[in-house]
Amino acid sequence: MTDKQSKGIRMFDPAFDYGQLPSLTGFLFRKASLRTFAIFGDAVGDRAITPLRYSLLEVVGANPGLQQVQLAGILGLSKPAATLAIDFWQTRDCLSRRPDARDRRSRGIYLTEAGQARLDDLRIIIARQDAQLTEMLSEDELALLKSLMQRVIEGPVL
Amino acid sequence: MTDKQSKGIRMFDPAFDYGQLPSLTGFLFRKASLRTFAIFGDAVGDRAITPLRYSLLEVVGANPGLQQVQLAGILGLSKPAATLAIDFWQTRDCLSRRPDARDRRSRGIYLTEAGQARLDDLRIIIARQDAQLTEMLSEDELALLKSLMQRVIEGPVL
DNA sequence: GAAATTTAGTTATCGTCAATAACCATTTAT
DNA sequence: ATAAATGGTTATTGACGATAACTAAATTTC
């Protein structure tokens, strides 16, 4: 065992036959996503900071004052999940809930100063990590990949 | 609520700013993977049949007689997880554990007749579903996407 | 304008799942 | 022969996410 991090996952072992799996686009997406996740953890250092939690911070940073329900909608979370995710950052002094003057039920979510600093850090770390993920592609190829992925993602809901 | 299935997930809501998220390849992978997963469930009909469990069946079909440890290695599972996954199919009469003559500790995993039939079905359903996933791409674009994805997945472990 | 309904948010409870640890049986190494 | 390693199962635990139930505040309806 030489590799402590990332489980040292070998994506395909040439000794075995994977049937039709490698020809399925969805399978490739899943593998790519797993790989992303593994590397993400290494890059960020803190295992508690998952892609989802980072996404939350990013979205709050870009849209200060959103309601929790709105955040849940954007991130595809249930209400309780949103509550927990916000709790996570609030206990770390990165997010604050501020009362909304117009509607005293709802609470606007904002970055604290520490949160802004943390986000600035994370953005850099993660952008760099993301570049490593695709370092084997030329710039043109990467742009192409992204635009193809975009179209697949935005595709019809079926 | 018109859409019962697939949660009707809207991938991006143009009303909000997603920060740098949409420019991260890893984020696109994750979204694509989520989309794959959602559609997979709809296509197969049985929610219990996850991509992972299908992968297991596919790999056993392509490599009859593998040990459980080998399967775990190929699929990136822990030993207990492999045990459970095999149990899943065995209780459905699709896989069988056969004693290994040379090593009485280990057990070879094989498709049953029912398992072969089930796999044949699933292969077709899933191949069709996978095609739908990328129906907005031309044949050339799809081939390109796949080859780019392959290279990313096979990339260095970092 | 009071009662009923809806909505934002939290808390409680549950089920799933995967990982670790502990365990048995068998094989390999010393 | 004994010790160490390996294949497999079972038991236990912890992380999550989902639903349900609840509070508080807003909106609707008559």
Side-chain angles (χ1 to χ4, degrees), chain B residues 81-145:
Chain B
T83 298
L84 271 311
I86 294 165
D87 284 349
F88 174 86
W89 286 117
Q90 193 171 16
T91 62
R92 282 162 181 75
D93 274 322
C94 289
L95 287 185
S96 70
R97 294 166 153 103
R98 297 221 297 254
D100 181 337
R102 297 180 257 204
D103 186 337
R104 296 204 316 262
R105 287 172 305 180
S106 73
R107 319 166 68 171
I109 308 300
Y110 297 87
L111 288 178
T112 62
E113 259 188 63
Q116 183 66 58
R118 194 85 180 86
L119 177 55
D120 291 342
D121 275 356
L122 284 174
R123 286 172 67 93
I124 293 172
I125 293 173
I126 288 167
R128 188 169 48 223
Q129 177 266 322
D130 194 71
Q132 282 186 357
L133 187 64
T134 54
E135 65 188 353
M136 67 291 298
L137 303 183
S138 73
E139 208 153 318
D140 285 352
E141 288 172 328
L142 179 55
L144 192 51
L145 174 61

